[in-house]
Amino acid sequence: MIYAIENQSVFDVAVQESGSVLAAFDWALKNGLSLTDDLEPGQQLISPNSDFFNTDVAGYFKGKKQMIATGFNTADGQSIIPTLGIGTMRIGTTFIVG
């Protein structure tokens, strides 16, 4: 059993604990989750028996005592949409052609 940390996803847990993103399906199924569910910090997850276990990758993260957390939380006001720059321009409105 492991405990999720902030901004950790099912995919993060699968790579960290099983060494393969393919194990994410097994993690989700074993814990009654969807692959896209947000994990709560401290949420308990039960380790599945997965055919997709990569000892080298899982051992690397355990040996370095690294925890993967690549999730993104918009609840705390973060946004991936820039406020300025080419990514926010709209043709004919903020980006004038001609």
Side-chain angles (χ1 to χ4, degrees):
M1 180 174 315
I2 69 145
Y3 296 92
I5 62 173
E6 185 175 1
N7 291 332
Q8 200 167 38
S9 69
V10 174
F11 294 101
D12 295 332
V13 171
V15 172
Q16 175 185 299
E17 298 296 321
S18 299
S20 174
V21 72
L22 297 175
F25 295 100
D26 297 325
W27 278 90
L29 186 63
K30 181 72 174 184
N31 290 282
L33 299 168
S34 168
L35 288 173
T36 57
D37 281 350
D38 291 329
L39 301 180
E40 295 294 324
Q43 181 175 345
Q44 293 181 350
L45 298 171
I46 300 168
S47 299
N49 291 326
S50 179
D51 293 332
F52 302 106
F53 192 84
N54 184 324
T55 310
D56 293 334
V57 176
Y60 173 82
F61 288 112
K62 285 189 194 314
K64 296 272 188 183
K65 295 183 179 160
Q66 289 185 329
M67 305 205 47
I68 303 171
T70 62
F72 188 77
N73 185 354
T74 57
D76 60 5
Q78 296 177 354
S79 176
I80 59 173
I81 301 171
T83 55
L84 297 173
I86 195 75
T88 62
M89 294 182 181
R90 292 193 179 108
I91 294 177
T93 306
T94 56
F95 181 74
I96 309 300
V97 179

